Amino acid sequence: MNRILGALALVGAGLSGVWSGLYAQDTLHSPLPIPLKFSGNFGEIRTGHFHTGLDVRTEGRSGIPVLAAHDGTIGRIKVSQRGYGLALYLDGGGLTSVYAHLSRFHPDIEAWLKSEQYAQEKWAFDGRPEATFSFAAGDTLGWSGNTGGSFGPHLHFELRDARSQRPMNPLHWTFLGAGVTQDVVPPEFRGVWVIPEHAGAVEGNRERFRWTAAYAKGLHVSGPFSLGIEGFDRLDGERFTHGPYGIDVWMNDSLIHSHRMDTLDFSTNSDVSAHIDLPAWQDRKGRVHRVQRLPGNRLNIYQKASMGSPCLVDPGDSARIEVRLLDAAGNETRAGLWLWGDSLVPRTDSLKTAPLEYNRPHRLEHSGVVVDIPAHALYSDAAIEIAHEEPGQVTVSSEARVTRSDYTLTIPVPPEHVGAGASLVLCILDKDGEVDGTWMSDERDGVIQVRLDRFGHFELRQDTVPPVLAAPQIKDGTLTIAVSDDLSGIDRWEGRCGDHWMRWGCDKGVLNYAFKDGVLEGREEEDITVWTIDAAGNIGHMVFSLADLKP
């Protein structure tokens, strides 16, 4: 058995040795019988959250045995068409390890789960098994797959503190077994973003500026500005890019920012939107980490943070910015630039909408559209504007782009829907006019109300088209039906042969039933009825028999 170090050092955070002292073990068995290579790491930026585990590559295929990382018992089983798909949670030694996007579970777990699903006549499951399933480190828990919100075969492996269920960086543990690819490649520095605030300017312009060493030794700044650090890590030297483990920033030898990706908290994980420069991420997937901490940012990842106050270099003065990017293996990259202070140029801008204070509630109204913002829903003070030009269309725009908690949007419905009490779909449209998200609401007194966590261009539509079911197919002992919906999305489904409930699963728009369940034995001529219902309540269905599928 090979012994490979998953994390060579805990650099800069003063945490070396702490993790092994908190738990019953400082080693984990590799969750796969192949060398661990990663397509995603702990704490990297995702839309709306930090990644809370390791995405482990499975050679582009499903069906690789997934192994217990430690001794323990199964504390939770989850089956869903979204998120983690088929997932197991193993408790032991003060740890909970999570294994997600599986294709199938251990046979004993499969048998128990099948009986529960048939008893409840429900495929989706999320709970603690009544039976006890115990495993030793290295035992097979299931097999890797591509279920749920996965975009390709891989294993999502997560490590949590069993008591708090807070996810922790697995690379602080040593993996036994097939091991981890050694990481000797330092993070890649992509630039320092200097962002003018208020009346500030960079290189004579009011636009944000990305500095790299290829540009010059430094930049000229006037007035207040904030900073952002862009960079990533390749973790094992391969093509996938990951988030850095930590970033330190000094201004004139004084540490003004330091963060480490050691542990996260699900209750504040969405505050990634406050940690990053959100426009850079949304517009071009740029991973820019803010140096100045927004007042509504609740993340507990900082050793040092500048609490919202912008930087300032007086005219004729200069400041030195130094940056260090770290990875979990102890590799680091450094960069630095000079900032030279210029005189402030008088503003010639037209008047702008006054920002709303983030810590107070606000109500905005325009042409019947109402926006109710609770106190602390914004991460920082921000201006919000409403435009309502066409019936059923409204734009709520803000430099904030997203909110920390939901706000309420009230929209008048088009005249043809007034008094109908119909379920309408509120769509958010992207810059190309394509639907990028939907919410359902019923018309009441000529308006609809929806709770939202983002700003943008919205349009009301009515969904009257039922889901479409394609012709049934039989392959590898499985009966499948592709399903699709044009707007609100598939919400639930059910299938029966006569009066007998069938365990139809759903993954990536395909319903699937395994013949080994036995419901169809001796019932080749009986009708099979399958229903699908979208979020608007439209029902699509089909009736067929196995005899109909024979050539």
PDB file of all heavy atoms in Angstrom, residues 512-530:
ATOM      1  N   ASN A 512     -36.076   6.426 -16.118  1.00  0.00           N
ATOM      2  CA  ASN A 512     -35.517   5.081 -16.264  1.00  0.00           C
ATOM      3  C   ASN A 512     -36.098   4.126 -15.237  1.00  0.00           C
ATOM      4  O   ASN A 512     -36.269   4.478 -14.066  1.00  0.00           O
ATOM      5  CB  ASN A 512     -33.995   5.112 -16.162  1.00  0.00           C
ATOM      6  CG  ASN A 512     -33.508   5.793 -14.895  1.00  0.00           C
ATOM      7  OD1 ASN A 512     -33.475   5.203 -13.821  1.00  0.00           O
ATOM      8  ND2 ASN A 512     -33.129   7.070 -15.019  1.00  0.00           N
ATOM      9  N   TYR A 513     -36.418   2.937 -15.705  1.00  0.00           N
ATOM     10  CA  TYR A 513     -36.942   1.868 -14.841  1.00  0.00           C
ATOM     11  C   TYR A 513     -36.123   0.612 -15.110  1.00  0.00           C
ATOM     12  O   TYR A 513     -35.935   0.204 -16.263  1.00  0.00           O
ATOM     13  CB  TYR A 513     -38.421   1.605 -15.126  1.00  0.00           C
ATOM     14  CG  TYR A 513     -38.905   0.307 -14.527  1.00  0.00           C
ATOM     15  CD1 TYR A 513     -39.235   0.224 -13.184  1.00  0.00           C
ATOM     16  CD2 TYR A 513     -38.986  -0.854 -15.307  1.00  0.00           C
ATOM     17  CE1 TYR A 513     -39.643  -0.974 -12.619  1.00  0.00           C
ATOM     18  CE2 TYR A 513     -39.397  -2.052 -14.753  1.00  0.00           C
ATOM     19  CZ  TYR A 513     -39.717  -2.108 -13.411  1.00  0.00           C
ATOM     20  OH  TYR A 513     -40.104  -3.294 -12.846  1.00  0.00           O
ATOM     21  N   ALA A 514     -35.619  -0.014 -14.032  1.00  0.00           N
ATOM     22  CA  ALA A 514     -34.813  -1.223 -14.148  1.00  0.00           C
ATOM     23  C   ALA A 514     -35.714  -2.454 -14.132  1.00  0.00           C
ATOM     24  O   ALA A 514     -36.499  -2.652 -13.194  1.00  0.00           O
ATOM     25  CB  ALA A 514     -33.800  -1.297 -13.010  1.00  0.00           C
ATOM     26  N   PHE A 515     -35.601  -3.300 -15.167  1.00  0.00           N
ATOM     27  CA  PHE A 515     -36.436  -4.498 -15.252  1.00  0.00           C
ATOM     28  C   PHE A 515     -36.217  -5.431 -14.062  1.00  0.00           C
ATOM     29  O   PHE A 515     -37.119  -6.182 -13.678  1.00  0.00           O
ATOM     30  CB  PHE A 515     -36.156  -5.248 -16.558  1.00  0.00           C
ATOM     31  CG  PHE A 515     -36.804  -4.621 -17.760  1.00  0.00           C
ATOM     32  CD1 PHE A 515     -36.058  -3.902 -18.673  1.00  0.00           C
ATOM     33  CD2 PHE A 515     -38.165  -4.744 -17.972  1.00  0.00           C
ATOM     34  CE1 PHE A 515     -36.649  -3.318 -19.781  1.00  0.00           C
ATOM     35  CE2 PHE A 515     -38.779  -4.168 -19.069  1.00  0.00           C
ATOM     36  CZ  PHE A 515     -38.010  -3.446 -19.987  1.00  0.00           C
ATOM     37  N   LYS A 516     -35.033  -5.381 -13.456  1.00  0.00           N
ATOM     38  CA  LYS A 516     -34.758  -6.280 -12.327  1.00  0.00           C
ATOM     39  C   LYS A 516     -35.664  -6.007 -11.128  1.00  0.00           C
ATOM     40  O   LYS A 516     -35.763  -6.850 -10.220  1.00  0.00           O
ATOM     41  CB  LYS A 516     -33.293  -6.177 -11.908  1.00  0.00           C
ATOM     42  CG  LYS A 516     -32.898  -4.815 -11.359  1.00  0.00           C
ATOM     43  CD  LYS A 516     -31.420  -4.780 -11.010  1.00  0.00           C
ATOM     44  CE  LYS A 516     -31.004  -3.410 -10.461  1.00  0.00           C
ATOM     45  NZ  LYS A 516     -29.570  -3.358 -10.139  1.00  0.00           N
ATOM     46  N   ASP A 517     -36.357  -4.865 -11.114  1.00  0.00           N
ATOM     47  CA  ASP A 517     -37.317  -4.601 -10.035  1.00  0.00           C
ATOM     48  C   ASP A 517     -38.463  -5.606 -10.063  1.00  0.00           C
ATOM     49  O   ASP A 517     -39.107  -5.854  -9.032  1.00  0.00           O
ATOM     50  CB  ASP A 517     -37.878  -3.179 -10.160  1.00  0.00           C
ATOM     51  CG  ASP A 517     -36.962  -2.140  -9.522  1.00  0.00           C
ATOM     52  OD1 ASP A 517     -35.809  -2.472  -9.206  1.00  0.00           O
ATOM     53  OD2 ASP A 517     -37.402  -0.983  -9.349  1.00  0.00           O
ATOM     54  N   GLY A 518     -38.765  -6.169 -11.213  1.00  0.00           N
ATOM     55  CA  GLY A 518     -39.722  -7.275 -11.299  1.00  0.00           C
ATOM     56  C   GLY A 518     -41.179  -6.914 -11.462  1.00  0.00           C
ATOM     57  O   GLY A 518     -42.027  -7.807 -11.569  1.00  0.00           O
ATOM     58  N   VAL A 519     -41.504  -5.633 -11.486  1.00  0.00           N
ATOM     59  CA  VAL A 519     -42.917  -5.248 -11.579  1.00  0.00           C
ATOM     60  C   VAL A 519     -43.546  -5.733 -12.887  1.00  0.00           C
ATOM     61  O   VAL A 519     -44.736  -6.088 -12.926  1.00  0.00           O
ATOM     62  CB  VAL A 519     -43.060  -3.720 -11.445  1.00  0.00           C
ATOM     63  CG1 VAL A 519     -44.510  -3.281 -11.691  1.00  0.00           C
ATOM     64  CG2 VAL A 519     -42.607  -3.252 -10.064  1.00  0.00           C
ATOM     65  N   LEU A 520     -42.778  -5.767 -13.950  1.00  0.00           N
ATOM     66  CA  LEU A 520     -43.326  -6.088 -15.266  1.00  0.00           C
ATOM     67  C   LEU A 520     -43.298  -7.578 -15.603  1.00  0.00           C
ATOM     68  O   LEU A 520     -43.769  -7.961 -16.686  1.00  0.00           O
ATOM     69  CB  LEU A 520     -42.558  -5.309 -16.349  1.00  0.00           C
ATOM     70  CG  LEU A 520     -42.604  -3.791 -16.228  1.00  0.00           C
ATOM     71  CD1 LEU A 520     -41.812  -3.143 -17.348  1.00  0.00           C
ATOM     72  CD2 LEU A 520     -44.047  -3.282 -16.235  1.00  0.00           C
ATOM     73  N   GLU A 521     -42.778  -8.389 -14.705  1.00  0.00           N
ATOM     74  CA  GLU A 521     -42.737  -9.825 -14.985  1.00  0.00           C
ATOM     75  C   GLU A 521     -44.154 -10.381 -15.121  1.00  0.00           C
ATOM     76  O   GLU A 521     -45.005 -10.204 -14.247  1.00  0.00           O
ATOM     77  CB  GLU A 521     -41.994 -10.556 -13.868  1.00  0.00           C
ATOM     78  CG  GLU A 521     -40.488 -10.289 -13.855  1.00  0.00           C
ATOM     79  CD  GLU A 521     -39.778 -11.095 -12.779  1.00  0.00           C
ATOM     80  OE1 GLU A 521     -40.425 -11.995 -12.189  1.00  0.00           O
ATOM     81  OE2 GLU A 521     -38.589 -10.822 -12.524  1.00  0.00           O
ATOM     82  N   GLY A 522     -44.412 -11.040 -16.272  1.00  0.00           N
ATOM     83  CA  GLY A 522     -45.727 -11.621 -16.523  1.00  0.00           C
ATOM     84  C   GLY A 522     -46.784 -10.601 -16.895  1.00  0.00           C
ATOM     85  O   GLY A 522     -47.974 -10.937 -16.965  1.00  0.00           O
ATOM     86  N   ARG A 523     -46.381  -9.344 -17.104  1.00  0.00           N
ATOM     87  CA  ARG A 523     -47.356  -8.296 -17.431  1.00  0.00           C
ATOM     88  C   ARG A 523     -47.025  -7.631 -18.776  1.00  0.00           C
ATOM     89  O   ARG A 523     -47.257  -6.438 -18.962  1.00  0.00           O
ATOM     90  CB  ARG A 523     -47.381  -7.237 -16.319  1.00  0.00           C
ATOM     91  CG  ARG A 523     -47.813  -7.790 -14.955  1.00  0.00           C
ATOM     92  CD  ARG A 523     -48.032  -6.658 -13.957  1.00  0.00           C
ATOM     93  NE  ARG A 523     -48.565  -7.154 -12.715  1.00  0.00           N
ATOM     94  CZ  ARG A 523     -47.824  -7.459 -11.647  1.00  0.00           C
ATOM     95  NH1 ARG A 523     -46.506  -7.304 -11.689  1.00  0.00           N
ATOM     96  NH2 ARG A 523     -48.383  -7.921 -10.533  1.00  0.00           N
ATOM     97  N   GLU A 524     -46.487  -8.397 -19.713  1.00  0.00           N
ATOM     98  CA  GLU A 524     -46.075  -7.845 -20.998  1.00  0.00           C
ATOM     99  C   GLU A 524     -47.232  -7.195 -21.766  1.00  0.00           C
ATOM    100  O   GLU A 524     -47.024  -6.265 -22.549  1.00  0.00           O
ATOM    101  CB  GLU A 524     -45.422  -8.922 -21.876  1.00  0.00           C
ATOM    102  CG  GLU A 524     -44.038  -9.367 -21.412  1.00  0.00           C
ATOM    103  CD  GLU A 524     -44.091 -10.322 -20.230  1.00  0.00           C
ATOM    104  OE1 GLU A 524     -45.216 -10.709 -19.854  1.00  0.00           O
ATOM    105  OE2 GLU A 524     -43.027 -10.671 -19.675  1.00  0.00           O
ATOM    106  N   GLU A 525     -48.462  -7.687 -21.546  1.00  0.00           N
ATOM    107  CA  GLU A 525     -49.603  -7.158 -22.300  1.00  0.00           C
ATOM    108  C   GLU A 525     -50.341  -6.049 -21.554  1.00  0.00           C
ATOM    109  O   GLU A 525     -51.212  -5.399 -22.121  1.00  0.00           O
ATOM    110  CB  GLU A 525     -50.596  -8.299 -22.598  1.00  0.00           C
ATOM    111  CG  GLU A 525     -50.003  -9.462 -23.367  1.00  0.00           C
ATOM    112  CD  GLU A 525     -49.629  -9.070 -24.789  1.00  0.00           C
ATOM    113  OE1 GLU A 525     -50.242  -8.113 -25.313  1.00  0.00           O
ATOM    114  OE2 GLU A 525     -48.737  -9.708 -25.366  1.00  0.00           O
ATOM    115  N   GLU A 526     -49.997  -5.826 -20.298  1.00  0.00           N
ATOM    116  CA  GLU A 526     -50.718  -4.819 -19.517  1.00  0.00           C
ATOM    117  C   GLU A 526     -50.245  -3.403 -19.874  1.00  0.00           C
ATOM    118  O   GLU A 526     -49.090  -3.186 -20.255  1.00  0.00           O
ATOM    119  CB  GLU A 526     -50.527  -5.066 -18.015  1.00  0.00           C
ATOM    120  CG  GLU A 526     -51.195  -6.342 -17.518  1.00  0.00           C
ATOM    121  CD  GLU A 526     -51.142  -6.443 -16.003  1.00  0.00           C
ATOM    122  OE1 GLU A 526     -51.204  -5.376 -15.345  1.00  0.00           O
ATOM    123  OE2 GLU A 526     -51.034  -7.570 -15.483  1.00  0.00           O
ATOM    124  N   ASP A 527     -51.142  -2.446 -19.702  1.00  0.00           N
ATOM    125  CA  ASP A 527     -50.807  -1.056 -19.988  1.00  0.00           C
ATOM    126  C   ASP A 527     -49.849  -0.484 -18.951  1.00  0.00           C
ATOM    127  O   ASP A 527     -50.027  -0.677 -17.735  1.00  0.00           O
ATOM    128  CB  ASP A 527     -52.066  -0.192 -20.011  1.00  0.00           C
ATOM    129  CG  ASP A 527     -52.874  -0.376 -21.286  1.00  0.00           C
ATOM    130  OD1 ASP A 527     -52.320  -0.972 -22.243  1.00  0.00           O
ATOM    131  OD2 ASP A 527     -54.034   0.077 -21.317  1.00  0.00           O
ATOM    132  N   ILE A 528     -48.850   0.210 -19.436  1.00  0.00           N
ATOM    133  CA  ILE A 528     -47.944   1.008 -18.605  1.00  0.00           C
ATOM    134  C   ILE A 528     -48.306   2.466 -18.848  1.00  0.00           C
ATOM    135  O   ILE A 528     -48.317   2.935 -19.994  1.00  0.00           O
ATOM    136  CB  ILE A 528     -46.473   0.760 -18.975  1.00  0.00           C
ATOM    137  CG1 ILE A 528     -46.093  -0.709 -18.757  1.00  0.00           C
ATOM    138  CG2 ILE A 528     -45.559   1.693 -18.162  1.00  0.00           C
ATOM    139  CD1 ILE A 528     -44.728  -1.057 -19.312  1.00  0.00           C
ATOM    140  N   THR A 529     -48.640   3.183 -17.789  1.00  0.00           N
ATOM    141  CA  THR A 529     -48.978   4.600 -17.906  1.00  0.00           C
ATOM    142  C   THR A 529     -47.918   5.428 -17.187  1.00  0.00           C
ATOM    143  O   THR A 529     -47.587   5.149 -16.025  1.00  0.00           O
ATOM    144  CB  THR A 529     -50.359   4.903 -17.309  1.00  0.00           C
ATOM    145  OG1 THR A 529     -51.342   4.051 -17.923  1.00  0.00           O
ATOM    146  CG2 THR A 529     -50.743   6.353 -17.540  1.00  0.00           C
ATOM    147  N   VAL A 530     -47.373   6.421 -17.874  1.00  0.00           N
ATOM    148  CA  VAL A 530     -46.353   7.297 -17.303  1.00  0.00           C
ATOM    149  C   VAL A 530     -46.850   8.739 -17.399  1.00  0.00           C
ATOM    150  O   VAL A 530     -47.269   9.189 -18.470  1.00  0.00           O
ATOM    151  CB  VAL A 530     -45.003   7.150 -18.035  1.00  0.00           C
ATOM    152  CG1 VAL A 530     -43.966   8.101 -17.446  1.00  0.00           C
ATOM    153  CG2 VAL A 530     -44.506   5.703 -17.945  1.00  0.00           C
TER     154      VAL A 530
END
